[in-house]
Amino acid sequence: MLRDKMEKYFIEQDKNCAQAMIYAANEEYGLGLGEREMDLLKGFGGGMGCGSTCGALAGSIAVLGHMFCQDKTREEAHAICGSYVDAFTRRFSSSLCAELTPVYKKEGTRCLGLLQENADLLDETVRRLSGKGGKLTAADIKRVKALGCLQDKRYADIFNVRVITRNGKITSAEQKAVAEAAEKFGSGEVTMTSRLTLEIQGVPYAKIDDVRAFLAQHGLETGGTGSKVRPVVSCKGTTCQYGLIDTFALSGKLHELFYKGYREVSLPHKFKLAVGGCPNNCVKPDLNDLGIIGQRVPRIDPDKCRGCKKCQVESACPLHIARLEDGKITIDPNACNHCGRCVGKCPFDALDAEMTGYRIYLGGRWGKRVAQGRPMDPVFTSEEEVLAIVERAILLFRAEGISGERFADTVARLGFDEVQRKLLSDELDKDAILKKDVKGGASC
């Protein structure tokens, strides 16, 4: 292997990093280069002696130039070498010797670790460009996409691997495992998606199985793609000053029951769930296929209202719909969003909470065509009721949705009132619906 030959030239023969790359490649790939030719790279060690471009990178470019660029146009050669520079920079977070040396240089072995990792990258590139690594087929890309590994459109064989979180929450140990996976198998970068998953950037196709196995050892999995229930999004819930419900508890149950429990159930399109702790809508529940929002419904006892000149309830209402009328506090029930900010504000207990519960929104969608979800009529009072409605919504979508349409389109086509009626009834035959053959239409 190229990485094994690297140690011989870099450590045993004391070649610099640029020389070691081309000497090892000459032996591995049978380039037929003489020592005089290879020693032209002697001045490229140590970042050309001034901490500039890493010698390992310079040596790799020399190898690629010799092997693949001699019969290419200038533009074609630039594309081959430029792509490698990009891949190197993503893998090591820099291309400069002065920045890489403090990270990778070790006593006794110098920058051997970096050279060996770069040897793997060069070997993958050589095999791909020479056709020995096998061109990725549409089936290859589709297979790993179903596993949560999305192709970086800039490169044929580089993928971003989506790591699932439990409603946006993972442990510090899991965070460390994701970071280690990014260092070992990817570019060293991790991004966050809008749905609170993590993506390890820059993973070569050949390392996808390895990174997934590594993550599994730490209790982590990849996924979150396809025409299925997607990972659940949740706000902080009761850890926030405005939170009315325990969003992490509820979204954790949704994750287990429907993201994991319905993992093998295909739908007409993707189906997104979000849980918000209050009507502030920080995670935009009403722009998801099904959204849940915490509610606190106020109740007024007019006999206790003293018609204070400075009404604390009126002052607390963020919508300015709590008003003194004829010496008594009133709240327009059709305008109230049940945020609960007024509850407990009256010093004479003229207003308390009638109930704390959940409002369910149906048919929201964000993207090229935005649709705002519409709330079901009831305010539900238990998690059990909410979980039952969620499952019925998924089953209804599977039973009556058309391949390629979102739940918002299904609701619009069937009519909101009819959808709500079915979700509030027991008429859906779960066993029959799950046996139905459904073709999904999600493209990501």
Side-chain angles (χ1 to χ4, degrees):
M1 291 179 64
L2 183 61
R3 67 159 34 228
D4 297 328
K5 294 177 174 62
M6 189 67 57
E7 185 169 0
K8 176 174 71 173
Y9 291 106
F10 189 62
I11 300 298
E12 297 176 18
Q13 297 190 19
D14 198 31
K15 302 293 184 185
N16 71 34
C17 44
Q19 289 175 293
M21 286 303 308
I22 200 165
Y23 268 84
N26 186 53
E27 181 179 338
E28 177 73 9
Y29 306 130
L31 303 183
L33 298 172
E35 287 190 20
R36 185 174 180 82
E37 295 167 285
M38 293 187 286
D39 281 344
L40 288 173
L41 292 179
K42 196 167 188 177
F44 286 81
M48 293 177 279
C50 62
S52 185
T53 302
C54 172
L57 175 57
S60 300
I61 296 300
V63 172
L64 294 175
H66 177 76
M67 294 183 71
F68 302 107
C69 296
Q70 294 190 39
D71 60 346
K72 298 289 193 296
T73 66
R74 181 188 308 170
E75 290 74 18
E76 290 171 333
H78 285 177
I80 291 171
C81 296
S83 176
Y84 191 85
V85 173
D86 285 346
F88 181 97
T89 304
R90 285 186 289 108
R91 178 73 65 91
F92 299 106
S93 300
S94 178
S95 62
L96 299 178
C97 175
E99 294 179 356
L100 295 169
T101 299
V103 178
Y104 290 97
K105 189 171 185 179
K106 310 294 180 186
E107 186 175 353
T109 59
R110 296 183 287 160
C111 292
L112 178 63
L114 182 147
L115 264 70
Q116 289 178 324
E117 278 194 60
N118 181 57
D120 292 341
L121 179 61
L122 179 60
D123 198 44
E124 292 164 10
T125 304
V126 168
R127 290 183 182 280
R128 174 169 53 81
L129 292 173
S130 62
K132 295 179 180 178
K135 184 178 180 181
L136 293 184
T137 66
D140 293 329
I141 296 170
K142 183 178 180 180
R143 178 186 74 84
V144 297
K145 184 179 183 179
L147 301 174
C149 307
L150 305 175
Q151 188 180 32
D152 184 328
K153 70 176 185 179
R154 299 171 298 175
Y155 310 100
D157 62 343
I158 299 297
F159 291 77
N160 300 323
V161 177
R162 185 172 294 173
V163 185
I164 301 304
T165 65
R166 294 171 299 278
N167 49 3
K169 182 190 290 187
I170 61 176
T171 67
S172 57
E174 289 167 338
Q175 287 272 24
K176 292 175 183 177
V178 171
E180 186 176 351
E183 291 288 346
K184 288 172 66 74
F185 305 103
S187 66
E189 296 174 315
V190 180
T191 63
M192 290 162 281
T193 73
S194 62
R195 296 199 63 79
L196 306 182
T197 59
L198 301 174
E199 281 190 4
I200 296 173
Q201 303 289 290
V203 178
Y205 179 84
K207 293 189 176 183
I208 285 176
D209 290 338
D210 293 336
V211 70
R212 294 184 72 246
F214 177 86
L215 291 168
Q217 293 173 5
H218 297 274
L220 295 165
E221 59 183 345
T222 65
T225 57
S227 298
K228 298 182 179 182
V229 177
R230 294 297 183 87
V232 184
V233 173
S234 170
C235 74
K236 299 191 298 181
T238 46
T239 68
C240 171
Q241 61 177 324
Y242 301 122
L244 304 175
I245 60 173
D246 188 343
T247 55
F248 283 134
L250 177 56
S251 56
K253 292 175 183 177
L254 292 169
H255 176 87
E256 293 297 324
L257 288 171
F258 305 118
Y259 173 71
K260 296 183 73 172
Y262 273 57
R263 177 172 293 169
E264 304 305 320
V265 178
S266 61
L267 300 173
H269 211 296
K270 55 191 170 187
F271 192 89
K272 295 181 177 181
L273 297 165
V275 183
C278 77
N280 281 353
N281 292 346
C282 294
V283 293
K284 305 175 182 65
D286 58 341
L287 294 177
N288 281 253
D289 296 279
L290 187 147
I292 302 159
I293 298 177
Q295 299 278 277
R296 184 160 292 158
V297 182
R299 175 176 54 196
I300 295 172
D301 184 345
D303 293 335
K304 293 183 178 180
C305 179
R306 301 188 182 185
C308 300
K309 186 175 181 179
K310 178 67 174 176
C311 176
Q312 298 303 312
V313 171
E314 189 177 44
S315 298
C317 178
L319 299 182
H320 308 295
I321 59 171
R323 297 187 182 92
L324 281 174
E325 295 183 359
D326 299 324
K328 297 292 182 179
I329 188 67
T330 63
I331 296 176
D332 181 354
N334 296 317
C336 180
N337 67 359
H338 305 153
C339 69
R341 301 274 286 276
C342 60
V343 173
K345 293 298 189 291
C346 177
F348 306 107
D349 300 324
L351 187 147
D352 61 6
E354 177 181 334
M355 61 176 288
T356 296
Y358 314 82
R359 176 138 272 168
I360 295 178
Y361 285 73
L362 305 175
R365 178 181 57 216
W366 188 249
K368 293 182 289 294
R369 293 190 301 129
V370 177
Q372 187 164 18
R374 179 175 165 183
M376 296 181 70
D377 293 335
V379 174
F380 299 94
T381 58
S382 71
E383 285 187 349
E384 289 71 28
E385 291 177 298
V386 172
L387 296 173
I389 293 294
V390 172
E391 182 165 43
R392 289 175 196 156
I394 295 168
L395 293 172
L396 175 67
F397 186 38
R398 191 171 205 273
E400 304 200 34
I402 298 171
S403 178
E405 77 174 3
R406 291 290 297 272
F407 188 53
D409 301 316
T410 306
V411 172
R413 179 167 51 81
L414 299 178
F416 180 88
D417 291 338
E418 175 64 6
V419 170
Q420 177 171 239
R421 184 191 68 77
K422 290 186 175 184
L423 297 187
L424 293 173
S425 71
D426 292 321
E427 64 182 69
L428 295 171
D429 187 337
K430 178 178 177 179
D431 292 337
I433 292 171
L434 291 179
K435 290 177 183 176
K436 182 182 178 182
D437 184 27
V438 173
K439 181 180 180 181
S443 59
C444 61

